[in-house]
Amino acid sequence: MFTGIYNKALKELGRIYKTLYILQYLDQPAVRKSVERVLSKVENSNKFAKAISHGNNQQLIGATYREQLTAEGCKRLIANSINCWNLLHLSETLAGCKKPLDREALLKNILATSTHSWEHINMLGEYDFSEMVDFQPFNLDDIFKDGAEI
C-alpha cells in the first residue's frame, strides 16, 4: 500500500534534483564547462576505441561467442598497452622537468587532457620487436624517485 506512495515521492524528489541541476547548468558557466570537459573526454575515448578497431565497420565479427570475446580482449589489451605507454612517457617527461613552473604547467596539461591519445601510434602498421632496434626502455628509477607515482 505504501510502496506506491514512496515510489511516487522518490520520483518527484528526483525531478526536483534534476530541475535544480538544469538551472545550475544554465546559470553557472563553470558547471557547463565541467560538463563539456567530461563529455569531450568521453567522446575522445569513443574515438580511441574506434581507431583501435578499424575494419569491418568497427564491428566484432566472429563465428562463435568465444571468438568475439577473444577479439574484444585483444582490443582491450591494445587500448591498455597504448594507455600504459602514454602514462609512462608522460611520467618520464614529468620526472625530467627541472623547473617547478614547467612541472606545474605539464601537470595542469596532463590533468586537462586524456591518455586516450593514439596519433603517435601507427594503427595500420606492422611491428617487428625481434631485433629490439632503437629500443629505449623507460627509466623507472627516475619516474619513481622521491616517492613519485604514476
Side-chain angles (χ1 to χ4, degrees):
M1 176 177 172
F2 290 112
T3 306
I5 295 171
Y6 289 131
N7 285 341
K8 188 173 181 178
L10 286 174
K11 278 185 181 180
E12 294 302 321
L13 181 63
R15 288 182 181 155
I16 291 170
Y17 284 126
K18 183 178 180 180
T19 302
L20 289 173
Y21 178 75
I22 290 170
L23 290 173
Q24 283 180 336
Y25 180 84
L26 293 173
D27 191 46
Q28 299 176 9
V31 173
R32 282 195 305 274
K33 189 176 181 180
S34 174
V35 169
E36 289 169 7
R37 187 174 26 240
V38 169
L39 289 176
S40 178
K41 284 186 178 184
V42 170
E43 185 178 326
N44 189 43
S45 178
N46 290 336
K47 287 180 183 176
F48 180 59
K50 189 175 181 179
I52 291 171
S53 59
H54 60 83
N56 296 328
N57 201 20
Q58 286 78 37
Q59 295 178 355
L60 294 177
I61 297 175
T64 66
Y65 179 68
R66 183 175 177 87
E67 287 174 348
Q68 290 177 354
L69 286 177
T70 301
E72 182 60 34
C74 291
K75 180 179 163 185
R76 201 169 29 255
L77 176 64
I78 292 167
N80 288 337
S81 298
I82 293 171
N83 276 328
C84 181
W85 191 93
N86 289 342
L87 286 168
L88 284 168
H89 179 71
L90 288 170
S91 297
E92 191 171 64
T93 304
L94 191 61
C97 284
K98 302 299 180 203
K99 299 178 185 174
L101 287 176
D102 292 343
R103 181 179 171 80
E104 288 301 317
L106 182 58
L107 269 174
K108 190 174 183 178
N109 193 21
I110 290 171
L111 292 173
T113 58
S114 171
T115 59
H116 294 309
S117 177
W118 67 93
E119 290 82 10
H120 56 289
I121 305 290
N122 181 1
M123 294 294 205
L124 301 174
E126 184 176 311
Y127 295 92
D128 180 9
F129 298 105
S130 61
E131 297 291 323
M132 301 302 254
V133 177
D134 295 333
F135 177 73
Q136 295 177 354
F138 288 102
N139 190 341
L140 295 178
D141 291 335
D142 281 350
I143 291 174
F144 289 116
K145 72 179 176 188
D146 299 325
E149 294 182 23
I150 295 178

